Amino acid sequence: MKYILVTGGVISGIGKGIIASSVGTILKSCGLHVTAIKIDPYINIDAGTFSPYEHGEVFVLDDGGEVDLDLGNYERFLDIRLTRDNNLTTGKIYQSVITKERRGDYLGKTVQVVPHITDAIQEWVMRQAKVSVDDDGVEPEVCVIELGGTVGDIESMPFIEAFRQFQFKVKRENFCNIHVSLVPQPNSTGEQKTKPTQNSVRELRGLGLSPDLVSLYSFICYKEPIQIVCRCSTPLDTAVKEKISMFCHVEPEQVICIHDVSSIYRVPLLLEDQGIVDYFCHRLNLPIEMRPRKMLTKWKEMSDRSDRLLEQTSIALVGKYTKLSDSYASVIKALEHSALAINYKLEVKYIDSADLEPTALQEEPVKYHEAWQKLCSADGVLVPGGFGVRGTEGKIQAINWARRQKKPFLGVCLGMQLAVCEFARNVLGWEDSNSTEFDPETKHPVVIEMPEHNPGQMGGTMRLGKRRTLFKSTSSVVRKLYGDAEYVDERHRHRFEVNPELKHHFEDRGFRFVGQDLEGERMEIIELDDHPYFVGVQYHPEFTSRPIKPSPPYFGLLLAASGKLQNYLQKGCRLSPRDTYSDRSGSSSPDSEISEIKFPSLS
C-alpha cells in the first residue's frame, strides 16, 4: 500500500481537497486502484449536526455516513463509493479509544495522546486503506489522505505526530507528503512572496514531516480588510520556484504551481503537465505503464467543451443557505454535469427563499422584487433539501409559480415535501396543509414524521444512506430518464415523509407518486400531469452525480429548461451529436461520449 498525505499551510480552505482529488484521478487514470481518506480535526463525531454555513453541505454516503463535502469531491473525481470510516475525526478517534479504555483493553495503563491516540489514528488509516471502493471489489493500491485544517493548529497536532511515526512504520518508499501552501502577491509591488510558504514548511519540518512535493496557490493581495481577492492568472515565476526549492529543502521539480484555470477539470491536467506521474513512479516505485491515459483524455475533452460553450440556460436555486455556495456543493455540481452533457453554460440564480415571502415586501421591498425578478427570468426552478421553518413559505411561493407558469421544476427532499404542501393548498383546497415539522397542529398533515425518528437526539437519527425506490408507472418521465429501470438505489437524508394515507387525493387530480419504497409505504418520486417537467424526489440524487454520468432528475431539469426534453424522450433517451458535443465543443469522440450518457447514473 502506498500512502500520500496532503497537508496545508498558511490558511485553511486553500484547496487541499482539489489537490487530493486530482492526484487520485491521475493515479487512477494510470490503472491503479485508489482510495481516499479525509481527516477532520474537529471533535464532532461526524458532520451530521453542522449548519451548512459552518462547513458547507453535509455529504451522505451509501452506508448513511454524514461526512465532509470533500468526500463528495473524491467520489466525483475518482468515481468511487466511500464509507463513513473514510472520514476520520478527532471525535471518532477519542470515542474509540475511550470505549477500549472502559472495556479494560489497556490493562490498567495510563491512556495518553502518545502512544494510544496516535496508534489509534495509524491503525484506523491502515485498516480503512484496504477497504475496496470500486465495483470490482479489488483492494486499493494507493490511499490519498487529506489532513484538514492548517499545519500548526493545536487540533491537528495528534494527527501530525501520528503521521510522523507512520512514515517510519510503512517505510519511506511507501509514504510521501504533499504540502499545499500560499504565495501572496501584494498589489503594491506585484512581487510573488515566498515567506509564508517558507514558514509553513519550516513548521511542518519542525514537527517531523518533510514535504516531498510543495503545491503552491498564487493570489493577489490588496490592502483592504479582505486581503485575498483573486488568484493570479499567471504561473509561478521560475525564480520564485527556485527560491522555494532552496529554502524548503526540495528539488525545483518538486515545487508544483496551481495557477488560475478556466475549469476545475483542468487541475489534474495541470498537475500531470508538471511531471507528477514521473515523480510518483520514482518516489513510490509505482507500477505505472507510460501509455496514453483514456481517463485523463476524457477530462481534457470535458475541459475543452466547458471552455467553448456558447448557449446558456439558467436555474433558480431557491434555498435557505444561499449566502454560501458550498452549502449546495453537490447540487451545483449535479447541475453543472447535466449542463455540460447537453453543451450548455449554466447560470445559477441564487435566491434566498425568505425574500419571496409577502412579509419581505413590507420589510425589504428591494430584496423582494429582486428575488422575484430572478425567479421569473430563470429557465427552471430547483428547490433543494433543507431543515427548519425559515423560508419555507417562500419556497412554496416559488413552487406555486413554477407549477402555474409551467416552468421546469425539481424538488429535492424538502423541496418535494413542499411541492406536496403547495398542491394540497392550492389545488385540493386544504388551505392549512403543512408538514408537522412546521405546524404540528395542522388539520391536513400531508407530510408527517417518520415513526423511527428519535427527536431527543440530533445526530444520525434520520433515514440515511442508500435505499431502493420502485417505479410504479411505466410511463414515468423519471423512469425513462433512468433508462427505463424498474428500480433505482439512491441516497436519503430525511426525518419526515409524505403522508401515505392521503396519496389517493393527490393522484385523483393528476399529482402522481410514481416511485415508492419496497413496502409501498414511503412516497419517493412525484410527477405532475400536463406539465413540461414537474418532478420531486425524496432522495438526494446529487450525491451520485458524476461528470460523465449526470444524475437523471437533474439531467431532466436541464433538458426541460433548454427545451430539449421531449426530443430526448422521443429519441429513446439519446442525445444527437448536435444536441450534445457539437463540432465547436472540440470533442474528439462524440459518439462514444453519447453512448456513455445514454442512461446517466443508472444504479
Side-chain angles (χ1 to χ4, degrees), residues 27 62 144 150 175 183 256 282 284 302 312 360 496 543 558:
L27 295 177
D62 280 354
V144 181
T150 308
F175 178 88
V183 177
I256 306 293
H282 169 71
L284 296 175
M302 285 191 293
Q312 180 171 294
F496 291 78
F543 292 145
L558 266 294

Side-chain angles (χ1 to χ4, degrees), residues 74 108 117 126 132 257 280 320 405 519 522 536 545:
Y74 305 155
I117 295 296
M126 295 181 75
S132 175
C257 173
F280 281 133
K320 181 179 176 182
Q405 298 297 321
E519 290 76 29
R522 295 201 163 100
S545 184

Side-chain angles (χ1 to χ4, degrees), residues 198 239-252 255:
Q198 292 179 44
V240 175
K241 289 184 69 170
E242 291 174 349
K243 187 174 181 181
I244 290 172
S245 167
M246 179 173 62
F247 284 102
C248 295
H249 198 64
V250 294
E251 295 288 341
V255 180

Side-chain angles (χ1 to χ4, degrees), residues 339-544:
L340 186 60
I342 58 172
N343 212 33
Y344 269 68
K345 281 184 181 178
L346 172 69
E347 180 191 6
V348 179
K349 298 175 181 283
Y350 294 95
I351 302 174
D352 188 327
S353 56
D355 293 340
L356 297 172
E357 297 175 357
T359 52
L361 178 60
Q362 306 299 322
E363 297 170 2
E364 295 184 279
V366 173
K367 283 188 175 181
Y368 175 85
H369 289 296
E370 286 177 349
W372 275 100
Q373 192 277 331
K374 284 183 183 179
L375 182 67
C376 295
S377 62
D379 298 314
V381 179
L382 170 66
V383 178
F387 297 92
V389 69
R390 187 183 74 80
T392 53
E393 292 302 318
K395 294 175 183 177
I396 289 175
Q397 292 279 346
I399 295 167
N400 175 262
W401 181 85
R403 180 180 60 80
R404 289 188 296 105
Q405 298 297 321
K406 296 194 180 299
K407 280 284 183 182
F409 165 77
L410 174 63
V412 176
C413 196
L414 177 61
M416 167 185 153
Q417 296 172 5
L418 294 179
V420 173
C421 294
E422 188 280 327
F423 193 86
R425 291 181 187 182
N426 298 306
V427 178
L428 301 184
W430 302 342
E431 294 182 2
D432 73 328
S433 295
N434 214 329
S435 167
T436 55
E437 179 182 7
F438 312 127
D439 182 7
E441 306 301 322
T442 177
K443 294 179 181 177
H444 294 95
V446 294
V447 177
I448 58 174
E449 189 175 40
M450 291 187 298
E452 64 265 42
H453 168 51
N454 174 15
Q457 183 176 334
M458 293 296 288
T461 59
M462 293 181 281
R463 185 169 180 247
L464 290 163
K466 186 170 73 173
R467 307 295 176 102
R468 180 156 293 180
T469 296
L470 301 178
F471 285 105
K472 299 296 183 180
S473 168
T474 56
S475 62
S476 162
V477 171
V478 178
R479 176 172 179 162
K480 292 175 182 176
L481 290 168
Y482 274 102
D484 202 30
E486 294 183 1
Y487 63 86
V488 293
D489 295 319
E490 293 277 14
R491 299 173 182 178
H492 293 66
R493 185 178 187 246
H494 63 110
R495 290 192 182 96
F496 291 78
E497 62 182 349
V498 175
N499 189 341
E501 295 180 1
L502 302 176
K503 73 174 185 177
H504 65 278
H505 294 286
F506 291 87
E507 293 192 322
D508 290 345
R509 302 294 295 272
F511 192 93
R512 298 185 297 132
F513 297 96
V514 300
Q516 298 174 20
D517 71 344
L518 294 174
E519 290 76 29
E521 297 175 355
R522 295 201 163 100
M523 306 300 107
E524 294 280 0
I525 306 173
I526 62 167
E527 289 180 16
L528 183 62
D529 291 342
D530 301 321
H531 194 285
Y533 189 79
F534 192 96
V535 169
V537 291
Q538 183 59 74
Y539 49 82
H540 289 264
E542 64 269 17
F543 292 145
T544 53

Side-chain angles (χ1 to χ4, degrees), residues 96-335:
S96 67
V97 169
I98 290 170
T99 300
K100 287 182 179 180
E101 187 272 334
R102 291 289 85 186
R103 261 198 329 250
D105 291 5
Y106 296 114
L107 302 176
K109 290 184 179 293
T110 302
V111 180
Q112 298 174 291
V113 173
V114 180
H116 300 101
I117 295 296
T118 53
D119 283 352
I121 293 167
Q122 295 172 60
E123 290 165 9
W124 190 301
V125 168
M126 295 181 75
R127 181 177 66 250
Q128 193 58 32
K130 295 179 181 179
V131 176
S132 175
V133 291
D134 290 296
D135 294 335
D136 58 14
V138 175
E139 183 177 309
E141 299 159 275
V142 179
C143 179
V144 181
I145 307 158
E146 178 192 348
L147 176 57
T150 308
V151 169
D153 292 346
I154 193 169
E155 296 94 342
S156 62
M157 287 299 184
F159 295 99
I160 294 288
E161 172 60 21
F163 285 108
R164 185 195 68 77
Q165 301 170 20
F166 189 70
Q167 63 186 330
F168 301 110
K169 179 181 289 188
V170 300
K171 308 301 180 186
R172 185 177 187 277
E173 63 271 19
N174 298 319
F175 178 88
C176 76
N177 173 214
I178 299 175
H179 189 62
V180 186
S181 189
L182 178 74
V183 177
Q185 188 174 358
N187 191 45
S188 56
T189 63
E191 182 184 1
Q192 294 171 329
K193 295 293 185 180
T194 64
K195 190 62 70 177
T197 297
Q198 292 179 44
N199 291 337
S200 178
V201 171
R202 185 183 300 116
E203 184 160 18
L204 182 64
R205 290 171 63 83
L207 295 170
L209 285 175
S210 294
D212 296 280
L213 288 171
V214 180
S215 181
L216 300 169
Y217 281 91
S218 187
F219 292 82
I220 298 176
C221 268
Y222 292 90
K223 295 180 180 178
E224 266 96 30
I226 301 176
Q227 289 189 309
I228 297 168
V229 178
C230 65
R231 294 182 188 176
C232 289
S233 58
T234 56
L236 209 64
D237 294 339
T238 303
V240 175
K241 289 184 69 170
E242 291 174 349
K243 187 174 181 181
I244 290 172
S245 167
M246 179 173 62
F247 284 102
C248 295
H249 198 64
V250 294
E251 295 288 341
E253 58 267 24
Q254 293 172 254
V255 180
I256 306 293
C257 173
I258 307 298
H259 56 81
D260 225 8
V261 287
S262 58
S263 164
I264 195 173
Y265 304 125
R266 291 205 179 277
V267 177
L269 305 174
L270 193 59
L271 289 173
E272 192 196 32
D273 288 344
Q274 296 182 63
I276 201 167
V277 174
D278 292 339
Y279 179 78
F280 281 133
C281 276
H282 169 71
R283 175 66 178 78
L284 296 175
N285 193 25
L286 288 171
I288 296 175
E289 296 179 15
M290 301 311 293
R291 54 181 171 76
R293 290 181 276 278
K294 184 179 178 183
M295 186 173 172
L296 281 187
T297 301
K298 292 188 181 298
W299 280 79
K300 186 177 188 305
E301 290 175 354
M302 285 191 293
S303 302
D304 291 342
R305 289 197 305 273
S306 179
D307 290 347
R308 299 175 187 179
L309 299 178
L310 297 179
E311 296 178 275
Q312 180 171 294
T313 188
S314 60
I315 301 296
L317 193 157
V318 183
K320 181 179 176 182
Y321 307 105
T322 53
K323 292 177 183 176
L324 179 65
S325 61
D326 270 359
S327 302
Y328 301 109
S330 292
V331 169
I332 302 304
K333 292 300 178 187
L335 291 172

